[in-house]
Amino acid sequence: QVQLVESGGGSVQAGGSLRLSCAASGRTLSMYILAWFRQVPGQEREIIAARGWEPQVTYVAESMKNRVTISRDNSKNTVDLQVYNLKPEDTATYYCAAKPRGASNYDHWGQGTQVTVSS
């Protein structure tokens, strides 16, 4: 099992930036992809970015490519998401997730952290 705990959410003005952090613990994390998703009520959860143990294993959603960076600190077992130039439509609950390498679906989830962007 992998446990995930997010932090760093909150309220921010449009145009600002926010850093979300996810602390992972549990089984051999080198075998897991760690990712950030977000969900707006009434909409499907969407993936923002993902990082494997190695830095070359990185994915960022096309729609977010110019506004996010994902970083993973293997020594601290954390994966951070930095979001820049926040817009009101970025308001959502942001979730950290994990899946074993090679798996199709993410099967471990954090409790989520709320981000609210005001105009």
Side-chain angles (χ1 to χ4, degrees):
Q1 287 292 330
V2 175
Q3 292 79 42
L4 304 165
V5 179
E6 303 98 335
S7 61
S11 297
V12 64
Q13 294 275 345
S17 62
L18 207 61
R19 187 177 189 91
L20 305 177
S21 186
C22 173
S25 61
R27 298 177 69 177
T28 309
L29 293 172
S30 61
M31 303 299 292
Y32 283 80
I33 305 291
L34 301 180
W36 281 95
F37 286 72
R38 69 182 181 185
Q39 187 169 27
V40 175
Q43 297 184 19
E44 287 190 6
R45 195 170 293 189
E46 63 172 344
I47 189 167
I48 302 169
R51 259 294 301 270
W53 187 257
E54 302 87 0
Q56 59 265 32
V57 181
T58 300
Y59 166 82
V60 179
E62 192 64 33
S63 61
M64 301 294 287
K65 260 194 168 108
N66 294 326
R67 297 199 295 123
V68 305
T69 57
I70 186 169
S71 58
R72 179 169 176 168
D73 188 330
N74 293 330
S75 66
K76 296 180 180 177
N77 292 329
T78 58
V79 61
D80 290 358
L81 183 75
Q82 182 86 38
V83 187
Y84 305 93
N85 190 23
L86 282 155
K87 306 173 183 180
E89 51 264 40
D90 292 319
T91 295
T93 302
Y94 286 68
Y95 296 91
C96 183
K99 69 171 182 176
R101 287 189 302 183
S104 299
N105 300 317
Y106 287 86
D107 54 1
H108 295 83
W109 295 88
Q111 80 286 356
T113 184
Q114 178 67 34
V115 172
T116 302
V117 184
S118 57
S119 56

